[in-house]
Amino acid sequence: IRELLQIDRPEASFAVREAETDGLGVTHLRLTQTHAGVPVYGAEMVAHVIDGEVSLLNGRYQTVADDLETQP
């Protein structure tokens, strides 16, 4: 995911909201994008994982500046 989305620290930018494995053994991870712990509106992705490798990634994410304030 890091290379595909050009995000330095995807583990800090996404939170797993749900995980399920289907009858074919494919694990589907539903991810919510966050910035400083705050969910990014409308930014959700699904990673389809086979044998520990992401085989398909779909959804939406936003580029967020590192210095974006989360407090009004």
Side-chain angles (χ1 to χ4, degrees):
I1 293 176
R2 179 185 326 271
E3 295 83 22
L4 182 63
L5 301 180
Q6 298 178 349
I7 296 175
D8 291 331
R9 295 180 24 232
E11 65 278 1
S13 299
F14 292 93
V16 176
R17 183 172 53 87
E18 183 181 342
E20 67 177 88
T21 302
D22 64 21
L24 298 174
V26 179
T27 300
H28 307 278
L29 302 173
R30 297 190 182 281
L31 309 167
T32 299
Q33 185 179 3
T34 61
H35 175 71
V38 178
V40 177
Y41 179 77
E44 294 185 330
M45 302 193 77
V46 179
H48 307 270
V49 181
I50 299 173
D51 296 328
E53 296 287 326
V54 176
S55 64
L56 180 66
L57 184 66
N58 61 317
R60 294 181 182 197
Y61 78 100
Q62 301 293 323
T63 302
V64 178
D66 290 336
D67 60 350
L68 181 69
E69 291 291 328
T70 58
Q71 298 294 322

